Amino acid sequence: AKAGRSLHTLSRMTPNVSYSSIRRAAQGELEQEQSTVVAIASVVMPETELRSFIKSHYPTLERAVLDVRGPERGHEESSDDTRSASIVEFLKSEDHAKILILANSRTGTTDEEVARKYGENCLHHFEEIKNSGILRYADGSWFFDGSVGNVSLALARKVLCGLAKEFDVKNDSTEFASFSYLLWESLNLEGIKEIYKTNTQHAKAVYDIAQDPKYQGDILLVLGILQNILKGQEGLA
């Protein structure tokens, strides 16, 4: 297969062949049917190589070899298109997306970090991401700084924070009905400590108000504060 093309990407490019069949074929676990072999070969082989392969193994199909290449036969998918398609497929998968989030940071990520946070059974997902060629390796870590078109994961985080602010129900008939905010930034430990102190002080003040008998009533309010270090130092000194 072409460099950087993962099994998941190959599965996407051969819609009539299941991912499990492609995986078993790659591992040599069973002999594949003619239709499966030809479908995979038509994607991973240049046309001249495909013709030679078909002529050697399936000579009765030689005249129809162009038909198996699909409507865009003869045109190689650009590396940018392949890269973007791989990123999209990984972002659709929760197991892959959470690894990309770790890699999309100033320190990147490693096998050890992925195993520690998500378990060793998640390492094969990490290997699929590495094999796709969308990560950058430097100084012992893997970094994800790719994008789909003009949209990067960092930009997507900013969009998510913006959407959270829109959860504020401005047209609710009850005044002060809602308020929302979301922060997703890379900070140093001192900054995290300051936010932690502010949040705990705020939480105590809110709790005191909520428990004051003079404020008890029949309007049900849901309120919470969440602060968690996604990656980096796992505790506050």
Side-chain angles (χ1 to χ4, degrees):
K2 296 176 181 177
R5 180 168 291 164
S6 70
L7 296 184
H8 277 286
T9 302
L10 185 56
S11 176
R12 178 186 60 80
M13 299 176 70
T14 51
N16 295 324
V17 182
S18 68
Y19 171 76
S20 59
S21 294
I22 292 176
R23 180 182 59 78
R24 290 196 297 269
Q27 295 175 347
E29 293 181 0
L30 74 160
E31 189 170 335
Q32 297 292 329
E33 297 179 356
Q34 172 182 295
S35 59
T36 300
V37 174
V38 172
I40 296 174
S42 68
V43 171
V44 302
M45 293 181 177
E47 188 165 314
T48 53
E49 186 178 341
L50 176 64
R51 284 184 177 275
S52 176
F53 175 80
I54 295 293
K55 183 176 182 179
S56 299
H57 295 85
Y58 307 105
T60 59
L61 296 179
E62 184 178 2
R63 291 179 179 274
V65 67
L66 288 179
D67 294 334
V68 303
R69 299 193 68 83
E72 297 181 357
R73 56 183 177 266
H75 297 282
E76 290 294 322
E77 186 176 25
S78 73
S79 59
D80 287 342
D81 289 342
T82 302
R83 179 182 174 86
S84 292
S86 296
I87 294 172
V88 169
E89 290 303 309
F90 288 137
L91 290 176
K92 290 179 181 178
S93 163
E94 181 179 347
D95 289 326
H96 295 89
K98 62 188 181 184
I99 296 173
L100 289 180
I101 289 174
L102 292 180
N104 184 234
S105 64
R106 293 175 181 172
T107 57
T109 192
T110 63
D111 285 8
E112 292 75 17
E113 182 179 54
V114 170
R116 184 176 68 253
K117 292 186 72 69
Y118 303 129
E120 291 190 0
N121 58 349
C122 207
L123 288 176
H124 75 278
H125 298 303
F126 193 20
E127 286 301 316
E128 289 173 345
I129 297 174
K130 293 178 190 175
N131 292 336
S132 72
I134 67 173
L135 299 182
R136 172 175 57 85
Y137 185 77
D139 300 324
S141 296
W142 293 89
F143 296 82
F144 174 62
D145 40 28
S147 60
V148 181
N150 293 322
V151 180
S152 66
L153 192 56
L155 177 59
R157 293 205 303 249
K158 293 184 182 298
V159 172
L160 177 61
C161 293
L163 287 175
K165 294 177 182 177
E166 294 305 311
F167 294 160
D168 186 359
V169 186
K170 297 178 176 62
N171 62 348
D172 193 282
S173 59
T174 304
E175 192 178 4
F176 312 120
S178 62
F179 168 78
S180 62
Y181 75 95
L182 177 64
L183 175 70
W184 189 338
E185 295 289 348
S186 296
L187 306 175
N188 60 28
L189 187 57
E190 287 70 26
I192 291 173
K193 284 182 177 179
E194 289 302 312
I195 291 177
Y196 182 85
K197 289 193 312 187
T198 300
N199 275 338
T200 53
Q201 292 168 0
H202 173 68
K204 183 180 184 306
V206 169
Y207 182 82
D208 290 342
I209 294 172
Q211 296 301 308
D212 192 323
K214 71 179 181 181
Y215 295 125
Q216 300 298 302
D218 60 358
I219 301 175
L220 181 62
L221 175 70
V222 178
L223 175 68
I225 298 175
L226 171 65
Q227 177 173 336
N228 183 61
I229 296 178
L230 184 63
K231 67 182 268 79
Q233 298 188 53
E234 297 196 5
L236 294 174

